[in-house]
């Protein structure tokens, strides 16, 4: 069974375009969009386990230079 999650990414000023491309290059990331609002990018991931969600969010996305903060939401349906 796959786990779907959405990761909200806050970027440093002027970094959203580059960060979207960096996020999209990570394994497990299905899509990433620059959005208006409290966050700058919303990424959708599909992986095999909740632990893999943490790996992508904490080790992958948060490790990219220019990422200010992330919030992760795991889909329940």
């Amino acid at each position: 069974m796959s786990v779907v999650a959405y990761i909200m990414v806050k970027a440093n000023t002027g970094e959203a375009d580059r960060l979207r491309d960096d996020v999209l290059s990570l394994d497990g990331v299905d899509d990433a969009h620059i959005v208006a609002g409290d966050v700058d990018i919303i990424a959708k991931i599909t992986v095999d386990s909740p632990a893999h969600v943490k790996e992508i969010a904490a080790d992958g996305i948060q490790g990219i230079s220019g990422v200010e903060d992330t919030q992760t939401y795991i889909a329940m349906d």
Side-chain angles (χ1 to χ4, degrees), residues 38-70:
D38 292 336
V39 298
D40 300 296
I41 298 167
I42 297 176
K44 178 185 177 190
I45 66 172
T46 305
V47 292
D48 294 334
S49 70
H52 199 187
V53 171
K54 180 183 178 287
E55 182 180 308
I56 291 173
D59 301 334
I61 293 175
Q62 288 181 2
I64 298 171
S65 176
V67 171
E68 186 177 312
D69 191 24
T70 63

Side-chain angles (χ1 to χ4, degrees), residues 2-60:
S2 294
V3 177
V4 175
Y6 297 89
I7 302 172
M8 312 299 142
V9 182
K10 284 190 179 183
N12 291 336
T13 303
E15 298 280 354
D17 288 326
R18 180 188 61 81
L19 287 178
R20 182 192 58 209
D21 294 340
D22 290 350
V23 168
L24 279 169
S25 72
L26 296 172
D27 287 337
V29 176
D30 299 326
D31 212 352
H33 296 277
I34 295 173
V35 298
D38 292 336
V39 298
D40 300 296
I41 298 167
I42 297 176
K44 178 185 177 190
I45 66 172
T46 305
V47 292
D48 294 334
S49 70
H52 199 187
V53 171
K54 180 183 178 287
E55 182 180 308
I56 291 173
D59 301 334

